[in-house]
């Protein structure tokens, strides 16, 4: 469970907000077209001249999947294969040779930690998945733009990060306004959702499922929201890590200095164990391909 102190809006505020819903929705759906980056291209000539080390092959594989993902989102297509729409996933079951792991960061954008996380990911040439909180993205749209411009995946973690029960109208507000703002700010139409606290019984999860979002849980919890020391935070992740897994960390929601401090070591340990890093859509794509192959056998 996550600490939601930072998102402590009262129930009264919710009711007031619902009254304002119409105005807010209108305000949020103003057509602001973002500057879209052109899709990544792979230079075939350059590839043929350089020796294909395993690292380069991994790089090529991941750039192909990233290009596919970027192209799909630019065309307004879902980044989620059809079989996973409306489905809940905590990990992929891949062939043992596919030693991949997906790092995910929740509750941002957060000025004190999101830029630091992005710097570490850039330095290590890793793409991750960010489940953002709508009201935080509204405050820090530049960070949302940066997440996408640097090749990461941006996804829906509700508007307020509430844990209490929400009726269908409130749940729709939480999810629709967040996805609309993600689109206005970044040009990405997300169909990935993660419920705050992993809670499936308070409204947003049911709404997201109904709207055919893929709900993305996790298989390795850093428990960083409890602010363990760096060694403990790392061992929390490594204890539960396995190929095809999804790691839960937080770049927002409170003081995440320990997460930022642990991240380079987490990356090093995974690399030494032979893992490569994928985004959640890449993980789903790999799972989809494997299931396609299995069904043909
Ligand atoms: Zn959260």
């Amino acid at each position: 469970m996550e600490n939601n102190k930072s998102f402590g809006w009262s129930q009264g505020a919710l009711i007031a907000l619902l009254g304002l819903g119409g105005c807010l929705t209108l305000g949020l759906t103003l057509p602001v077209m973002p500057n879209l980056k052109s899709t990544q291209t792979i230079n075939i000539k350059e590839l043929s001249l350089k020796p294909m080390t395993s690292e380069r092959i991994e790089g090529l594989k991941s750039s192909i999947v990233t290009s596919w993902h970027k192209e799909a989102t630019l065309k307004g297509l879902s980044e989620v294969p059809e079989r996973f729409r409306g489905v809940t996933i905590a990990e992929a079951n891949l062939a043992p040779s596919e030693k991949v792991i997906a790092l995910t960061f929740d509750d941002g954008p957060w000025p004190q930690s999101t830029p630091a996380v992005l710097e570490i990911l850039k330095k290590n040439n890793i793409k991750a998945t960010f489940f953002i909180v709508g009201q935080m993205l509204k405050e820090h749209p530049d960070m949302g733009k940066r997440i996408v411009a640097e090749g990461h995946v941006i996804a829906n973690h509700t508007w307020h990060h509430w844990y209490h029960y929400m009726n269908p109208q409130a749940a729709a507000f939480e999810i629709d306004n967040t996805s609309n703002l993600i689109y206005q700010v970044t040009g990405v139409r997300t169909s990935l959702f993660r419920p705050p606290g992993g809670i499936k019984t308070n409204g947003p999860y049911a709404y997201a499922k109904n709207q055919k979002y893929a709900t993305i849980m996790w298989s390795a919890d850093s428990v960083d929201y409890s602010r363990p020391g760096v060694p403990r935070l790392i061992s929390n992740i490594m204890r539960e890590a396995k190929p095809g897994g999804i790691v839960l960390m937080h770049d927002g929601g409170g003081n995440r200095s320990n997460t930022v401090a642990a991240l380079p070591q987490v990356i090093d340990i995974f690399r030494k164990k032979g893992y490569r890093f994928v985004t959640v859509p890449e993980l789903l794509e790999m799972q989809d391909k494997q299931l396609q192959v299995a069904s043909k056998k």
Side-chain angles (χ1 to χ4, degrees):
M1 298 295 288
E2 300 161 297
N3 184 336
N4 74 336
K5 254 190 276 177
S6 310
F7 303 106
W9 283 39
S10 71
Q11 193 114 21
L14 168 63
I15 293 157
L17 251 175
L18 285 178
L20 284 170
C23 322
L24 283 174
T25 307
L26 277 177
L28 286 171
T29 49
L30 285 172
V32 181
M33 277 313 292
N35 293 323
L36 300 178
K37 297 253 167 191
S38 62
T39 54
Q40 192 176 348
T41 53
I42 297 152
N43 188 333
I44 302 293
K45 242 186 216 170
E46 184 195 331
L47 285 173
S48 59
L49 293 173
K50 290 183 185 168
M52 290 300 275
T53 62
S54 63
E55 198 178 325
R56 283 180 57 72
I57 292 167
E58 290 309 324
L60 176 60
K61 268 194 207 166
S62 95
S63 66
I64 288 170
V65 190
T66 307
S67 301
W68 164 83
H69 168 242
K70 276 190 183 164
E71 204 164 310
T73 49
L74 286 171
K75 285 178 186 161
L77 300 173
S78 170
E79 74 266 61
V80 174
E82 189 58 36
R83 76 171 85 229
F84 298 120
R85 307 214 67 196
V87 169
T88 303
I89 299 132
E91 63 190 315
N93 296 305
L94 302 171
S97 57
E98 301 277 23
K99 213 164 179 190
V100 297
I101 195 109
L103 301 182
T104 67
F105 296 91
D106 290 9
D107 299 359
W110 200 264
Q112 291 79 18
S113 34
T114 304
V117 167
L118 287 171
E119 278 308 311
I120 295 165
L121 294 175
K122 191 197 278 179
K123 200 176 154 201
N124 286 279
N125 195 23
I126 289 171
K127 307 302 176 211
T129 305
F130 289 79
F131 289 88
I132 63 91
V133 172
Q135 65 174 357
M136 296 308 301
L137 180 63
K138 193 167 185 227
E139 276 182 46
H140 308 288
D142 289 351
M143 279 181 222
K145 285 189 171 83
R146 185 176 165 192
I147 286 170
V148 172
E150 295 185 1
H152 306 291
V153 172
I154 193 163
N156 192 322
H157 196 41
T158 74
W159 188 266
H160 291 107
H161 205 277
W162 281 326
Y163 287 173
H164 61 68
Y165 174 78
M166 283 156 263
N167 66 26
Q169 192 192 1
F173 174 97
E174 287 294 308
I175 290 173
D176 292 347
N177 285 341
T178 303
S179 283
N180 287 342
L181 186 64
I182 287 174
Y183 178 65
Q184 286 157 24
V185 169
T186 68
V188 171
R189 288 199 189 281
T190 186
S191 38
L192 298 174
F193 170 70
R194 175 174 281 166
I199 300 168
K200 294 180 183 161
T201 52
N202 63 342
Y205 171 77
Y207 180 80
K209 196 174 165 66
N210 195 260
Q211 296 293 309
K212 301 290 177 209
Y213 282 80
T215 296
I216 308 301
M217 305 299 280
W218 55 86
S219 56
D221 187 352
S222 67
V223 202
D224 59 351
Y225 39 87
S226 300
R227 303 210 63 229
V230 169
R232 180 67 181 275
L233 199 160
I234 294 170
S235 69
N236 286 343
I237 295 172
M238 298 329 284
R239 193 175 53 240
E240 297 183 313
K242 58 186 162 185
I246 299 172
V247 177
L248 173 66
M249 285 181 276
H250 292 79
D251 65 320
N255 182 335
R256 302 302 178 219
S257 55
N258 287 355
T259 306
V260 171
L263 185 56
Q265 296 180 59
V266 170
I267 291 168
D268 279 355
I269 296 168
F270 273 123
R271 286 219 158 121
K272 284 193 181 116
K273 288 176 183 284
Y275 281 87
R276 69 185 176 90
F277 298 91
V278 293
T279 63
V280 167
E282 288 169 351
L283 193 65
L284 297 181
E285 181 70 3
M286 291 174 80
Q287 179 77 90
D288 188 53
K289 292 258 160 63
Q290 181 163 312
L291 291 168
Q292 278 174 29
V293 170
S295 72
K296 278 178 196 151
K297 274 181 187 164

